[in-house]
Each structure stands twice: as C-alpha cells, then as structure tokens.
Amino acid sequence: MTVRRVQRTDTLYHDMRDRLRARELTDLASPFYFEKDGTLQILIHQLKYDEITIAGVELGRQVAVAMATLWGEIPDATLVPVPLHAAKERERGYNQSVYIARGIQSLTGLPGSARLLRRRRNTPSQTHLNREERLANVQDAFELARDARVEGASFILVDDVITTGATIQECARVLKEHGAHRVYAASVALAAYAGDVDR
C-alpha cells in the first residue's frame, strides 16, 4: 500500500495552510496524507506506542525534504516539538514529536528546544471532536517554560499529524503572545479526514 504524498497544488494542503496562516502561523509543510488503515497509520502507531523511535527520525527526514520543497527555503528557526502532558509522557516514556524533530535536525542542522513549551493540562482525546470542540479542548492547554525567551525569534512547531490544526494553532498563539517573530508548522502528515486520527 502506498503513502499519498502532499503536492504543492493540492486543495487539502492549501485549505489547511490558508486556515493556519489566517491565524498565527507563517507557513505549513507536511510530506504525507494520513489515511485510516493506511501504511502511514501503521508507522505512526509504531512510533507512538511501540517505541519504534527510529521511525520518527526517518519520518522527520521526510518532513525536512517537504519543508525545502514546499517553502523553497528553510527558515532560520528553532524546532519545537509539540509537547505531551507530563503524565502522558511518563506513561509512554517519550514524546514522539521529539524524534521527528531530530530527523529534521539531521538534515537541516536547525537547533531544537524540546522544553520551550509545556502542556499544562492533560486534555482529553480529540478523536471524536469537531474543529470548534478541538479548539475549545486545547484552549490555554500550553504555556512557555518558566525561563523561556522567545521575543524576536522564529520557531517551527513539529508534530506527527495535523488534523484540524487546533493544537498547532494554540501552541503558535502562545509563542506569538510572548513576542515570537514567525511561527511555522511542520508535521509528518495532514489528516485526509478529521475522523481518521486517534489523538
């Protein structure tokens, strides 16, 4: 089974990009579409739940290629993995987005900061929520680390799958409220359908 790649001319990519750019984000890059029961779902499941972290690094390299392809050039920015709540990270043992960021870093040389943002609320699963419900679910769920300085700097938020953009949007809002210059989003995949992803 093949994995469907994101093309610059795709309507789904443009719709999500425009939605995020209308809010807090400068641009969006994702190499693949996430489709339920597809090959990519298996890979991401292995990354998130089976400790196959090398999959995250390899997927991150694919993200780096997509960043260069979709953006034309890679901005001078710090990679920021979208954080898990501390309880969930303890339970899982790691944050999958950190490994995706490491893969991006291996090709781009960009710096990373895995502790710049923290998730202060352990939000319920968003699987069966629509966009408005997801936005409400993650509202005020993130905050800057106590000693973080972001004013005037640019950041690339890194996640595994973007479904409605609610989580990325909320993380970006926090960074921009504290003076970040530009905030980009980079994910392994965009959900072809909002109900496809277990979050």
Side-chain angles (χ1 to χ4, degrees), residues 72-153:
E73 62 178 331
I74 295 175
D76 181 15
T78 298
L79 299 166
V80 180
V82 170
L84 296 175
H85 187 268
K88 186 172 284 186
E89 188 165 345
R90 279 195 303 271
E91 177 185 332
R92 190 173 295 173
Y94 58 95
N95 177 357
Q96 72 275 3
S97 294
V98 168
Y99 290 92
I100 297 166
R102 287 179 186 174
I104 298 171
Q105 196 169 29
S106 72
L107 290 190
T108 64
L110 293 175
S113 181
R115 301 297 175 197
L116 184 75
L117 283 175
R118 62 181 291 271
R119 190 183 291 246
R120 63 183 177 189
R121 286 198 297 109
N122 195 0
T123 52
S125 170
Q126 305 215 109
T127 306
H128 302 293
L129 304 182
N130 63 31
R131 175 169 169 74
E132 290 71 27
E133 290 167 337
R134 286 170 185 246
L135 285 167
N137 190 41
V138 296
Q139 187 174 7
D140 298 323
F142 301 94
E143 64 185 2
L144 281 184
R146 186 168 298 173
D147 58 348
R149 298 290 179 269
V150 303
E151 191 168 353

Coordinates of all heavy atoms in Angstrom, one line a residue, residues 72-153:
G72 N 10.5 26.4 -0.4 CA 11.5 27.0 -1.3 C 12.8 27.1 -0.6 O 13.9 26.8 -1.1
E73 N 12.8 27.5 0.7 CA 14.0 27.5 1.5 C 13.5 27.3 3.0 O 12.4 27.6 3.3 CB 14.7 28.9 1.4 CG 13.9 30.1 1.8 CD 14.8 31.4 1.7 OE1 16.0 31.3 1.9 OE2 14.1 32.4 1.5
I74 N 14.5 26.8 3.8 CA 14.2 26.5 5.1 C 14.5 27.7 6.0 O 15.7 28.2 5.9 CB 14.9 25.2 5.6 CG1 14.4 24.0 4.8 CG2 14.7 25.0 7.1 CD1 15.1 22.7 5.1
P75 N 13.6 28.2 6.8 CA 13.9 29.4 7.6 C 14.9 29.2 8.7 O 15.0 28.0 9.2 CB 12.5 29.8 8.1 CG 11.7 28.5 8.2 CD 12.2 27.7 7.0
D76 N 15.5 30.2 9.2 CA 16.4 30.2 10.3 C 15.5 30.2 11.6 O 15.0 31.3 12.0 CB 17.3 31.4 10.3 CG 18.3 31.3 11.5 OD1 18.4 30.3 12.1 OD2 18.9 32.4 11.7
A77 N 15.2 29.0 12.1 CA 14.2 28.9 13.2 C 14.6 27.8 14.1 O 15.3 26.8 13.7 CB 12.8 28.7 12.6
T78 N 14.0 27.8 15.3 CA 14.2 26.7 16.3 C 13.1 25.7 16.2 O 11.9 26.1 16.2 CB 14.3 27.3 17.7 OG1 15.4 28.2 17.8 CG2 14.5 26.2 18.7
L79 N 13.4 24.4 16.1 CA 12.4 23.3 16.1 C 11.8 23.1 17.5 O 12.6 23.0 18.5 CB 13.1 22.0 15.6 CG 13.7 22.1 14.2 CD1 14.6 20.9 14.0 CD2 12.6 22.1 13.2
V80 N 10.5 23.1 17.6 CA 9.8 23.0 18.9 C 8.8 21.8 18.8 O 7.8 22.0 18.2 CB 9.1 24.2 19.3 CG1 8.4 24.0 20.7 CG2 10.1 25.4 19.4
P81 N 9.2 20.6 19.3 CA 8.2 19.5 19.3 C 7.0 19.9 20.1 O 7.1 20.5 21.2 CB 8.9 18.4 19.9 CG 10.4 18.8 19.9 CD 10.4 20.3 19.9
V82 N 5.8 19.6 19.6 CA 4.6 19.8 20.3 C 4.6 19.0 21.6 O 4.8 17.7 21.5 CB 3.3 19.5 19.5 CG1 2.0 19.5 20.3 CG2 3.2 20.6 18.4
P83 N 4.5 19.5 22.8 CA 4.7 18.7 24.0 C 3.5 17.9 24.3 O 2.3 18.2 24.0 CB 4.9 19.8 25.1 CG 4.1 21.0 24.6 CD 4.2 21.0 23.1
L84 N 3.8 16.7 25.0 CA 2.8 15.9 25.6 C 2.6 16.4 27.1 O 3.6 17.0 27.6 CB 3.2 14.4 25.7 CG 3.4 13.7 24.3 CD1 3.9 12.3 24.6 CD2 2.1 13.6 23.6
H85 N 1.5 16.1 27.7 CA 1.4 16.4 29.1 C 2.4 15.5 29.8 O 2.7 14.3 29.4 CB 0.0 16.1 29.6 CG -0.2 16.5 31.0 ND1 -0.1 15.6 32.1 CD2 -0.6 17.7 31.6 CE1 -0.3 16.3 33.2 NE2 -0.6 17.5 32.9
A86 N 3.0 15.9 31.0 CA 4.0 15.2 31.7 C 3.5 13.8 32.1 O 4.3 12.8 32.0 CB 4.4 15.9 32.9
A87 N 2.2 13.6 32.4 CA 1.7 12.3 32.8 C 1.7 11.4 31.6 O 2.0 10.2 31.7 CB 0.3 12.4 33.4
K88 N 1.3 11.9 30.4 CA 1.3 11.1 29.2 C 2.7 10.7 28.8 O 2.9 9.6 28.3 CB 0.5 11.8 28.1 CG 0.3 10.9 26.9 CD -0.6 11.6 25.9 CE -2.1 11.5 26.3 NZ -3.0 12.0 25.2
E89 N 3.6 11.6 28.9 CA 5.0 11.4 28.5 C 5.6 10.3 29.4 O 6.3 9.4 29.0 CB 5.8 12.6 28.5 CG 7.2 12.4 27.9 CD 7.9 13.7 27.5 OE1 7.2 14.8 27.4 OE2 9.1 13.6 27.3
R90 N 5.3 10.4 30.7 CA 5.8 9.4 31.7 C 5.2 8.0 31.3 O 5.9 7.0 31.3 CB 5.4 9.7 33.1 CG 6.3 10.8 33.7 CD 6.1 10.8 35.2 NE 4.7 11.1 35.6 CZ 4.2 12.3 35.8 NH1 5.0 13.3 35.6 NH2 3.0 12.4 36.2
E91 N 4.0 8.0 31.0 CA 3.3 6.7 30.6 C 3.9 6.1 29.4 O 4.2 4.9 29.3 CB 1.8 7.0 30.4 CG 1.0 5.7 30.0 CD -0.4 6.1 29.7 OE1 -1.0 7.1 30.3 OE2 -1.1 5.4 28.9
R92 N 4.1 6.9 28.4 CA 4.7 6.5 27.1 C 6.2 6.3 27.1 O 6.7 5.4 26.4 CB 4.3 7.4 26.0 CG 4.5 6.9 24.6 CD 4.0 7.9 23.6 NE 2.5 8.0 23.6 CZ 1.8 8.8 22.9 NH1 2.4 9.7 22.1 NH2 0.5 8.8 23.0
G93 N 6.8 7.1 27.9 CA 8.3 7.0 28.1 C 9.0 8.0 27.2 O 10.2 8.2 27.3
Y94 N 8.3 8.7 26.3 CA 9.0 9.6 25.4 C 7.9 10.4 24.6 O 6.7 10.0 24.7 CB 9.8 8.9 24.3 CG 9.1 7.9 23.5 CD1 8.6 8.2 22.3 CD2 8.8 6.6 24.0 CE1 7.8 7.3 21.5 CE2 8.1 5.7 23.3 CZ 7.6 6.0 22.0 OH 6.9 5.1 21.3
N95 N 8.3 11.5 24.0 CA 7.4 12.2 23.1 C 7.8 12.0 21.7 O 8.9 12.3 21.2 CB 7.6 13.7 23.4 CG 6.8 14.6 22.5 OD1 6.1 14.2 21.6 ND2 6.8 15.9 22.8
Q96 N 6.9 11.4 20.9 CA 7.2 11.0 19.5 C 7.7 12.2 18.7 O 8.5 12.1 17.7 CB 6.0 10.3 18.8 CG 4.8 11.2 18.5 CD 3.9 11.4 19.7 OE1 4.1 10.9 20.8 NE2 2.8 12.1 19.4
S97 N 7.2 13.4 19.0 CA 7.5 14.6 18.1 C 9.0 15.0 18.3 O 9.5 15.6 17.4 CB 6.6 15.7 18.5 OG 5.2 15.4 18.1
V98 N 9.6 14.6 19.4 CA 11.0 14.9 19.6 C 11.8 14.1 18.6 O 12.8 14.7 18.0 CB 11.4 14.5 21.1 CG1 12.9 14.5 21.2 CG2 10.8 15.5 22.1
Y99 N 11.4 12.9 18.3 CA 12.2 12.1 17.4 C 12.0 12.6 15.9 O 12.9 12.6 15.1 CB 11.8 10.6 17.5 CG 12.4 10.1 18.8 CD1 11.6 10.1 20.0 CD2 13.7 9.6 18.9 CE1 12.1 9.6 21.2 CE2 14.2 9.1 20.1 CZ 13.4 9.1 21.2 OH 13.9 8.7 22.4
I100 N 10.8 13.1 15.6 CA 10.5 13.7 14.3 C 11.4 14.9 14.2 O 12.1 15.1 13.1 CB 9.1 14.0 14.2 CG1 8.2 12.8 14.2 CG2 8.8 14.8 12.9 CD1 6.7 13.0 14.4
A101 N 11.5 15.7 15.2 CA 12.3 16.9 15.2 C 13.8 16.6 15.0 O 14.6 17.2 14.3 CB 12.2 17.7 16.5
R102 N 14.2 15.5 15.6 CA 15.6 15.0 15.5 C 15.9 14.6 14.0 O 17.0 14.9 13.5 CB 15.9 13.8 16.4 CG 16.1 14.2 17.8 CD 16.3 13.0 18.7 NE 16.3 13.4 20.1 CZ 16.4 12.5 21.1 NH1 16.5 11.2 20.9 NH2 16.3 12.9 22.4
G103 N 14.9 14.0 13.4 CA 15.1 13.7 11.9 C 15.2 15.0 11.1 O 16.1 15.0 10.2
I104 N 14.4 16.0 11.4 CA 14.5 17.2 10.7 C 15.9 17.9 10.9 O 16.5 18.3 10.0 CB 13.4 18.2 11.1 CG1 12.0 17.7 10.8 CG2 13.6 19.6 10.5 CD1 10.9 18.4 11.4
Q105 N 16.3 17.8 12.1 CA 17.6 18.4 12.5 C 18.7 17.8 11.8 O 19.7 18.4 11.5 CB 17.7 18.3 14.1 CG 18.8 19.2 14.7 CD 18.6 19.1 16.2 OE1 18.2 18.2 16.8 NE2 19.0 20.2 16.8
S106 N 18.6 16.4 11.6 CA 19.8 15.7 11.0 C 20.0 16.2 9.6 O 21.1 16.1 9.1 CB 19.5 14.2 11.0 OG 18.5 13.8 10.1
L107 N 19.0 16.7 8.9 CA 19.2 17.2 7.5 C 19.4 18.7 7.4 O 20.0 19.2 6.5 CB 18.0 16.8 6.6 CG 17.9 15.3 6.3 CD1 16.8 15.1 5.2 CD2 19.2 14.7 5.8
T108 N 18.8 19.4 8.4 CA 18.8 20.9 8.3 C 19.9 21.6 9.2 O 20.3 22.7 8.9 CB 17.4 21.5 8.7 OG1 17.2 21.2 10.0 CG2 16.4 20.9 7.8
G109 N 20.2 20.9 10.3 CA 21.1 21.5 11.3 C 20.5 22.5 12.1 O 21.1 23.2 12.9
L110 N 19.1 22.7 12.0 CA 18.4 23.7 12.9 C 18.5 23.3 14.3 O 18.5 22.1 14.7 CB 17.0 23.8 12.4 CG 16.7 24.3 11.1 CD1 15.2 24.3 10.8 CD2 17.2 25.8 11.0
P111 N 18.6 24.3 15.2 CA 18.6 24.0 16.7 C 17.2 23.5 17.1 O 16.2 23.8 16.4 CB 18.9 25.3 17.3 CG 18.5 26.3 16.3 CD 18.7 25.7 15.0
G112 N 17.1 22.8 18.2 CA 15.8 22.3 18.7 C 15.7 22.7 20.2 O 16.7 22.8 20.9
S113 N 14.4 22.8 20.6 CA 14.2 23.1 22.0 C 12.9 22.3 22.5 O 11.8 22.7 22.3 CB 14.0 24.6 22.3 OG 13.7 24.8 23.6
A114 N 13.2 21.1 23.1 CA 12.1 20.2 23.4 C 11.3 20.7 24.7 O 10.2 20.2 25.0 CB 12.6 18.8 23.6
R115 N 11.9 21.6 25.4 CA 11.2 22.1 26.7 C 10.8 23.5 26.7 O 10.6 24.1 27.7 CB 12.2 21.8 27.9 CG 12.6 20.4 28.0 CD 11.4 19.5 28.4 NE 11.8 18.1 28.4 CZ 10.9 17.1 28.4 NH1 9.6 17.3 28.2 NH2 11.3 15.8 28.4
L116 N 10.8 24.1 25.5 CA 10.4 25.5 25.4 C 8.9 25.7 25.8 O 8.5 26.6 26.5 CB 10.6 26.0 24.0 CG 10.3 27.5 23.7 CD1 11.4 28.3 24.3 CD2 10.2 27.8 22.2
L117 N 8.1 24.8 25.3 CA 6.6 24.8 25.6 C 6.3 23.6 26.5 O 7.0 22.6 26.5 CB 5.8 24.6 24.3 CG 5.6 25.8 23.4 CD1 4.8 25.4 22.2 CD2 4.9 27.0 24.1
R118 N 5.3 23.8 27.4 CA 4.9 22.7 28.2 C 3.3 22.6 28.1 O 2.7 23.7 27.9 CB 5.3 22.8 29.6 CG 4.9 24.0 30.4 CD 5.4 23.9 31.8 NE 4.9 22.9 32.6 CZ 3.7 23.0 33.3 NH1 3.1 24.1 33.4 NH2 3.3 22.0 34.0
R119 N 2.8 21.4 28.2 CA 1.4 21.2 28.2 C 0.9 21.2 29.6 O 1.3 20.3 30.4 CB 1.0 19.9 27.5 CG -0.5 19.8 27.2 CD -0.9 18.5 26.6 NE -0.4 18.3 25.2 CZ -1.2 18.2 24.2 NH1 -2.6 18.3 24.3 NH2 -0.8 18.1 23.0
R120 N 0.2 22.2 30.1 CA -0.2 22.3 31.5 C -1.5 21.6 31.8 O -1.8 21.3 33.0 CB -0.2 23.7 31.9 CG -1.3 24.6 31.2 CD -1.2 26.0 31.7 NE -2.1 26.9 31.1 CZ -2.1 28.2 31.2 NH1 -1.2 28.8 32.0 NH2 -3.0 28.9 30.6
R121 N -2.3 21.3 30.8 CA -3.5 20.5 31.0 C -3.4 19.2 30.2 O -3.1 19.2 29.1 CB -4.7 21.3 30.6 CG -5.1 22.4 31.5 CD -6.6 22.9 31.2 NE -6.8 23.4 29.9 CZ -7.5 22.8 29.0 NH1 -8.0 21.6 29.1 NH2 -7.6 23.4 27.8
N122 N -3.8 18.1 30.9 CA -3.8 16.8 30.2 C -5.2 16.7 29.5 O -6.2 16.2 30.1 CB -3.7 15.7 31.2 CG -3.3 14.3 30.6 OD1 -3.2 14.3 29.3 ND2 -3.2 13.3 31.4
T123 N -5.3 17.2 28.3 CA -6.5 17.3 27.6 C -7.1 15.9 27.2 O -6.3 15.0 26.9 CB -6.4 18.2 26.4 OG1 -5.2 17.7 25.6 CG2 -6.1 19.6 26.7
P124 N -8.4 15.8 27.2 CA -9.0 14.5 26.7 C -8.7 14.3 25.2 O -8.3 15.2 24.5 CB -10.5 14.8 26.9 CG -10.6 15.9 27.8 CD -9.4 16.8 27.6
S125 N -8.8 13.1 24.8 CA -8.7 12.7 23.4 C -9.5 13.6 22.5 O -10.7 13.9 22.9 CB -9.0 11.2 23.2 OG -9.1 11.0 21.8
Q126 N -9.0 13.9 21.3 CA -9.8 14.8 20.4 C -10.4 14.0 19.3 O -11.0 14.5 18.3 CB -8.8 15.8 19.8 CG -8.1 16.7 20.9 CD -7.9 18.1 20.5 OE1 -8.6 19.0 21.0 NE2 -7.1 18.4 19.5
T127 N -10.3 12.7 19.4 CA -10.7 11.8 18.2 C -12.1 12.1 17.7 O -12.3 12.2 16.5 CB -10.6 10.3 18.7 OG1 -9.4 10.0 19.2 CG2 -10.9 9.4 17.5
H128 N -13.1 12.3 18.6 CA -14.4 12.4 18.1 C -14.9 13.9 18.2 O -16.1 14.1 18.2 CB -15.3 11.5 18.9 CG -14.9 10.1 18.8 ND1 -15.0 9.4 17.6 CD2 -14.4 9.2 19.7 CE1 -14.6 8.1 17.8 NE2 -14.2 8.0 19.0
L129 N -14.0 14.8 18.2 CA -14.4 16.2 18.3 C -14.3 16.9 17.0 O -13.4 16.6 16.2 CB -13.5 16.9 19.4 CG -13.4 16.4 20.8 CD1 -12.5 17.2 21.6 CD2 -14.8 16.2 21.4
N130 N -15.2 17.9 16.8 CA -15.1 18.7 15.5 C -14.1 19.8 15.8 O -13.5 19.9 16.9 CB -16.5 19.2 15.1 CG -17.1 20.1 16.1 OD1 -16.4 20.8 16.8 ND2 -18.4 20.1 16.2
R131 N -13.9 20.6 14.8 CA -12.9 21.7 14.9 C -13.1 22.6 16.0 O -12.2 22.9 16.8 CB -12.8 22.5 13.5 CG -11.8 23.6 13.6 CD -11.6 24.3 12.3 NE -10.9 25.5 12.4 CZ -9.6 25.6 12.8 NH1 -8.9 24.6 13.0 NH2 -9.0 26.8 12.9
E132 N -14.4 23.1 16.2 CA -14.7 24.0 17.3 C -14.4 23.4 18.6 O -13.9 24.0 19.5 CB -16.1 24.5 17.1 CG -16.4 25.4 15.9 CD -16.3 24.7 14.6 OE1 -16.6 23.5 14.6 OE2 -16.0 25.4 13.6
E133 N -14.8 22.1 18.8 CA -14.6 21.4 20.0 C -13.2 21.2 20.3 O -12.7 21.3 21.4 CB -15.4 20.1 20.0 CG -16.9 20.2 20.0 CD -17.6 19.0 19.7 OE1 -17.0 18.1 19.0 OE2 -18.8 18.8 20.1
R134 N -12.4 20.9 19.3 CA -10.9 20.7 19.4 C -10.3 22.1 19.9 O -9.4 22.0 20.7 CB -10.3 20.2 18.1 CG -10.6 18.8 17.8 CD -10.2 18.4 16.4 NE -10.6 17.0 16.1 CZ -9.7 16.0 15.9 NH1 -8.4 16.2 16.0 NH2 -10.2 14.8 15.6
L135 N -10.7 23.1 19.3 CA -10.2 24.4 19.7 C -10.4 24.7 21.1 O -9.6 25.2 21.9 CB -10.7 25.6 18.8 CG -10.2 25.7 17.4 CD1 -11.1 26.6 16.5 CD2 -8.8 26.1 17.4
A136 N -11.7 24.4 21.6 CA -12.0 24.6 23.0 C -11.2 23.7 23.9 O -10.8 24.1 25.0 CB -13.5 24.4 23.2
N137 N -11.0 22.5 23.4 CA -10.3 21.4 24.2 C -8.9 21.8 24.5 O -8.4 21.5 25.6 CB -10.4 20.1 23.4 CG -9.9 18.9 24.3 OD1 -10.2 18.8 25.5 ND2 -9.1 18.1 23.7
V138 N -8.2 22.5 23.6 CA -6.8 22.8 23.8 C -6.6 24.3 24.2 O -5.4 24.7 24.4 CB -6.0 22.5 22.5 CG1 -5.9 21.0 22.2 CG2 -6.4 23.3 21.3
Q139 N -7.7 25.0 24.3 CA -7.5 26.4 24.8 C -6.8 26.5 26.1 O -7.2 25.8 27.1 CB -8.9 27.1 24.9 CG -8.8 28.6 25.1 CD -10.1 29.3 25.0 OE1 -11.2 28.6 24.9 NE2 -10.2 30.6 25.1
D140 N -5.8 27.3 26.2 CA -4.9 27.5 27.4 C -4.3 26.2 27.9 O -4.0 26.1 29.1 CB -5.8 28.1 28.5 CG -6.3 29.5 28.1 OD1 -5.5 30.3 27.4 OD2 -7.4 29.9 28.4
A141 N -4.1 25.2 27.0 CA -3.5 24.0 27.4 C -2.0 24.0 27.4 O -1.3 23.2 28.0 CB -4.0 22.8 26.5
F142 N -1.4 25.1 26.8 CA 0.0 25.2 26.7 C 0.5 26.5 27.3 O -0.2 27.5 27.4 CB 0.5 25.1 25.2 CG 0.0 23.9 24.5 CD1 -1.2 23.9 23.8 CD2 0.8 22.7 24.5 CE1 -1.6 22.7 23.1 CE2 0.4 21.6 23.9 CZ -0.8 21.6 23.2
E143 N 1.8 26.4 27.7 CA 2.4 27.6 28.3 C 3.9 27.5 28.0 O 4.5 26.5 27.8 CB 2.2 27.8 29.8 CG 2.7 26.7 30.6 CD 2.3 26.8 32.1 OE1 1.6 27.7 32.4 OE2 2.8 26.0 32.9
L144 N 4.6 28.7 28.1 CA 6.0 28.7 27.9 C 6.7 28.2 29.2 O 6.2 28.4 30.3 CB 6.5 30.2 27.7 CG 6.4 30.8 26.3 CD1 7.1 32.1 26.4 CD2 7.1 29.9 25.3
A145 N 7.8 27.5 29.0 CA 8.6 27.2 30.2 C 9.0 28.4 30.9 O 9.1 29.5 30.3 CB 9.9 26.4 29.8
R146 N 9.2 28.3 32.2 CA 9.4 29.5 33.1 C 10.6 30.4 32.6 O 10.5 31.6 32.7 CB 9.7 29.0 34.5 CG 9.8 30.1 35.5 CD 9.7 29.6 36.9 NE 8.5 28.9 37.2 CZ 8.2 28.3 38.3 NH1 9.2 28.2 39.3 NH2 7.1 27.7 38.5
D147 N 11.7 29.8 32.1 CA 12.9 30.6 31.8 C 13.0 30.8 30.3 O 14.0 31.2 29.8 CB 14.1 29.9 32.3 CG 14.3 28.5 31.7 OD1 13.3 28.0 31.2 OD2 15.4 27.9 31.9
A148 N 11.9 30.5 29.5 CA 12.0 30.6 28.0 C 12.0 32.0 27.6 O 11.3 32.9 28.1 CB 10.8 29.9 27.4
R149 N 12.7 32.3 26.5 CA 12.8 33.6 25.9 C 12.5 33.4 24.4 O 13.3 32.8 23.7 CB 14.2 34.3 26.1 CG 14.5 34.5 27.6 CD 13.6 35.7 28.2 NE 13.9 35.9 29.6 CZ 13.3 35.3 30.6 NH1 12.4 34.4 30.3 NH2 13.6 35.6 31.8
V150 N 11.5 34.0 23.9 CA 11.1 33.8 22.5 C 11.0 35.1 21.7 O 10.9 35.1 20.5 CB 9.8 33.0 22.4 CG1 9.9 31.7 23.1 CG2 8.6 33.9 22.9
E151 N 11.1 36.2 22.4 CA 10.8 37.5 21.7 C 11.8 37.7 20.5 O 13.0 37.6 20.6 CB 11.0 38.7 22.7 CG 10.5 40.0 22.1 CD 10.4 41.1 23.1 OE1 10.5 40.8 24.3 OE2 10.1 42.2 22.7
G152 N 11.2 38.0 19.3 CA 12.0 38.3 18.1 C 12.5 37.0 17.4 O 13.1 37.2 16.3
A153 N 12.3 35.9 18.0 CA 12.9 34.6 17.4 C 11.8 33.9 16.5 O 10.6 34.2 16.7 CB 13.4 33.7 18.5

